[in-house]
Amino acid sequence: MVTLEHVSKSYAAGIPALNDVSLNIDEGEFVFIVGDSGSGKSTLIKLLLKELEPTQGTITINGKNLSRIRRRQIPKFRRNIGVVFQDFRLLKDRNVYDNVAFAQKVIGETNRNIRKRVPQMLSMVGLAPKYRSFPKQLSGGEQQRVAIARALINEPKILLADEPTGNLDNNNAWEIMKLLEEINSRGTTVVVVTHNMEIVKVMKKRVITVKKGVIVSDSKAGEYDED
């Protein structure tokens, strides 16, 4: 599903943001990526989305070598990757329904299918009654649920969540993580970048720890033990 082979990324002379990273994430896995600020986590996410190119090494996603994907093919490639961010990134001038529908309109989906799929997704994330609400009328947890619905509506094989609970209180954070676990149980590969070590320890998933651009540990589900 996701394979990195000896991947390095340098922005300028000096210590690289990622240094000789190799890892493999199988289809259907739920993986946490943890590490201090500046450890290379954000760089890794950007490489997986082909927002950045590696200085060295090979990245393969869904059987495709990213170095062989041309610029015009990038939008199509990204349809198989849903992304959720810490700051939600919702369209403030559009209601919940239109925020989720936007992702389908971008790929040219028919209005008929949009009218069918959007309510289904909003129901899945528990927001069907609020389809007419605007982002400013929602709590942080509700906004993140909208973002997740938007990320999933095109049925990506992989969901990348970059600090999805970073702006949420503890109760909402747990609700979002339960939702991500449910999404994973339906077959979507889920990769979560987080600083929330309480969530990491309780959920007992695979944990990849990055420090100064290097993977320093890779523990199987249930085996993570923070030093």
Side-chain angles (χ1 to χ4, degrees):
M1 176 62 69
V2 178
T3 302
L4 278 70
E5 299 176 274
H6 303 291
V7 171
S8 297
K9 175 61 183 179
S10 297
Y11 294 103
I15 299 174
L18 286 179
N19 188 12
D20 196 29
V21 168
S22 294
L23 68 88
N24 187 75
I25 297 173
D26 292 332
E27 184 174 358
E29 274 200 279
F30 190 121
V31 181
F32 283 113
I33 298 177
V34 303
D36 297 333
S37 295
S39 61
K41 304 188 306 298
S42 294
T43 296
L44 177 58
I45 292 292
K46 290 177 180 178
L47 287 169
L48 295 180
L49 289 171
K50 203 170 169 62
E51 291 181 4
L52 295 174
E53 298 293 334
T55 307
Q56 294 179 5
T58 303
I59 302 173
T60 305
I61 298 180
N62 294 328
K64 291 183 171 62
N65 184 332
L66 267 56
S67 66
R68 296 176 183 168
I69 296 177
R70 298 177 181 177
R71 183 178 296 274
R72 61 183 173 81
Q73 297 173 317
I74 292 175
K76 185 176 181 180
F77 158 73
R78 288 179 180 160
R79 291 177 197 173
N80 284 316
I81 303 178
V83 190
V84 177
F85 299 98
Q86 177 177 342
D87 55 357
F88 318 134
R89 301 194 186 182
L90 301 178
L91 300 169
K92 294 182 175 60
D93 62 341
R94 304 191 189 195
N95 63 27
V96 166
Y97 181 97
D98 288 335
N99 262 280
V100 178
F102 180 77
Q104 293 241 282
K105 291 177 180 177
V106 166
I107 66 169
E109 189 56 81
T110 65
N111 287 332
R112 180 180 180 181
N113 284 340
I114 291 173
R115 287 193 297 269
K116 179 181 178 181
R117 287 285 294 153
V118 173
Q120 289 175 344
M121 291 305 304
L122 291 178
S123 179
M124 191 194 82
V125 301
L127 286 178
K130 298 200 173 186
Y131 73 100
R132 289 183 176 176
S133 299
F134 285 81
K136 66 181 180 180
Q137 298 172 306
L138 303 175
S139 69
E142 288 170 336
Q143 289 185 62
Q144 193 61 290
R145 286 173 177 272
V146 177
I148 291 171
R150 181 181 60 186
L152 291 175
I153 194 157
N154 293 332
E155 300 182 331
K157 295 180 179 179
I158 302 169
L159 179 65
L160 300 180
D162 191 359
E163 297 287 357
T165 63
N167 285 337
L168 305 179
D169 61 36
N170 194 54
N171 287 338
N172 276 313
W174 277 111
E175 289 300 315
I176 291 301
M177 295 313 301
K178 289 176 185 175
L179 178 57
L180 293 179
E181 193 168 38
E182 179 185 344
I183 290 162
N184 175 246
S185 72
R186 299 183 182 193
T188 303
T189 303
V190 176
V191 180
V192 179
V193 172
T194 186
H195 281 103
N196 193 324
M197 301 313 297
E198 178 188 359
I199 284 175
V200 171
K201 285 184 279 188
V202 171
M203 289 189 69
K204 299 187 182 303
K205 306 294 185 181
R206 178 183 174 191
V207 183
I208 297 171
T209 305
V210 184
K211 186 174 182 179
K212 295 181 179 179
V214 176
I215 292 178
V216 294
S217 69
D218 185 349
S219 62
K220 296 179 181 178
E223 295 183 358
Y224 178 70
D225 184 18
E226 187 180 14
D227 293 333

